[in-house]
Every structure is written in structure tokens, then in C-alpha cells.
Amino acid sequence: MTDYNKIEQVKQIIEELIKNLGAEGKVEFEESITKGLIFNITSPESYFLIGRQGGILHALQILVQAMAAKKLGSEGPLWFSLDVDDYKRKREWFLKDTARGAVEHIKKTGRPAALEPMPNYERRLIHAYIQENHPEAISESQGEDPYRRVVIKLKR
């Protein structure tokens, strides 16, 4: 059951934070069966709120979750994620499509494919996608942060 009072409080926290950052934006929420509660910010300064490879967006989500936990306190936690102009949804689609393309490439060539360096939460998404959808391939992370990348190989 959705607690609309908690949702409104979190929405106010996000709006106030955006305003204090000097940006403007509209905050809406949606409930997804698979992803839970998602607060999506629509803003003309979305590039500023997303950052390089979603780094600022990830930091904003952690900050908003901490602020919400402090404000809601004894009312109990509210689990949610934060997005800006559907960046995460589009990025997830792009990453899955890239992994699918890499699997097709390694099937043709037989050689491993290394993807671009990416944050750990994106690498986890790739690993899960490969494991669920491509049993003929395996994926592993290689390198050191911030240059850590996913390498996809055929199973032996």
C-alpha cells in the first residue's frame, strides 16, 4: 500500500534540493511493479542533474534517500529511486543493447569483447542481463576504478 503522505514529503525534499542547486524542475512519481517507486525529475538543466555517466544523479539519489530517512524518522523507510528525464530507463536500454551486440560479436569472432568503463551499478546490470539472457556467454569485471569495465566471453 502506498503512503501518499511519505511520497509528498520526499517530493518536497527533492524540489527543495533542486531549487537549492540553482536548477529548476518538476518532480513526478510513478509506481512500477518491478522497479518500485520512482521519482522522475523533468528539467531543462537535466545535463547538470545527471552528470557524466549518471554520477551526479547517483549522488543525488543517495543524498535524497538520506534526507528522507532523517525526515521520515519513526514513520519508517520509503524505498524509492530517483531519475532525471528518464535517464536511467534510457541508459538501461542502451546498456542491454550494447551487451546484446557484444554477445553477437563474440559469437561471430570468438574473441572476448570489452565494454566501456562504467560505474559498478551499471556493471551489475550488464552481468545480470548476460546471466539471464545469454547462457552461452559469461561476463566479468576487469581493471581498477574508475576504468573498470565488463569483459564478455563465450563459455568454454
Side-chain angles (χ1 to χ4, degrees), residues 99-113 133-137 152-155:
R100 184 194 50 73
V103 169
E104 294 302 317
H105 178 75
I106 65 171
K107 283 181 183 178
K108 291 177 186 172
T109 65
R111 297 194 335 236
N133 298 290
H134 297 283
E136 71 279 12
I152 302 171
K153 306 174 186 177
L154 285 175
K155 284 185 177 176

Side-chain angles (χ1 to χ4, degrees), residues 52-63:
R52 184 173 178 268
Q53 287 188 324
I56 293 175
L57 174 57
H58 185 67
L60 284 174
Q61 178 167 326
I62 292 169
L63 184 60

Side-chain angles (χ1 to χ4, degrees), residues 23-106:
E24 59 182 68
K26 181 180 176 188
V27 180
E28 296 175 346
F29 73 92
E30 67 177 79
E31 281 187 281
S32 166
I33 293 172
T34 56
K35 305 233 185 247
L37 188 61
I38 302 169
F39 288 92
N40 191 33
I41 304 166
T42 305
S43 173
E45 290 111 358
S46 59
Y47 64 91
F48 170 71
L49 296 171
I50 294 170
R52 184 173 178 268
Q53 287 188 324
I56 293 175
L57 174 57
H58 185 67
L60 284 174
Q61 178 167 326
I62 292 169
L63 184 60
V64 169
Q65 286 174 332
M67 292 168 73
K70 185 173 183 176
K71 186 172 185 175
L72 296 174
S74 62
E75 293 180 43
L78 178 65
W79 305 108
F80 63 90
S81 63
L82 191 62
D83 202 353
V84 175
D85 288 334
D86 290 324
Y87 169 79
K88 285 183 178 177
R89 189 177 313 198
K90 294 171 188 170
R91 182 72 177 163
E92 182 177 328
W93 178 86
F94 171 77
L95 290 171
K96 287 178 179 179
D97 192 54
T98 302
R100 184 194 50 73
V103 169
E104 294 302 317
H105 178 75
I106 65 171

Side-chain angles (χ1 to χ4, degrees), residues 13-26:
I13 291 169
I14 296 167
E15 288 171 344
E16 189 175 319
L17 182 61
I18 293 169
K19 183 180 168 191
N20 288 338
L21 289 171
E24 59 182 68
K26 181 180 176 188

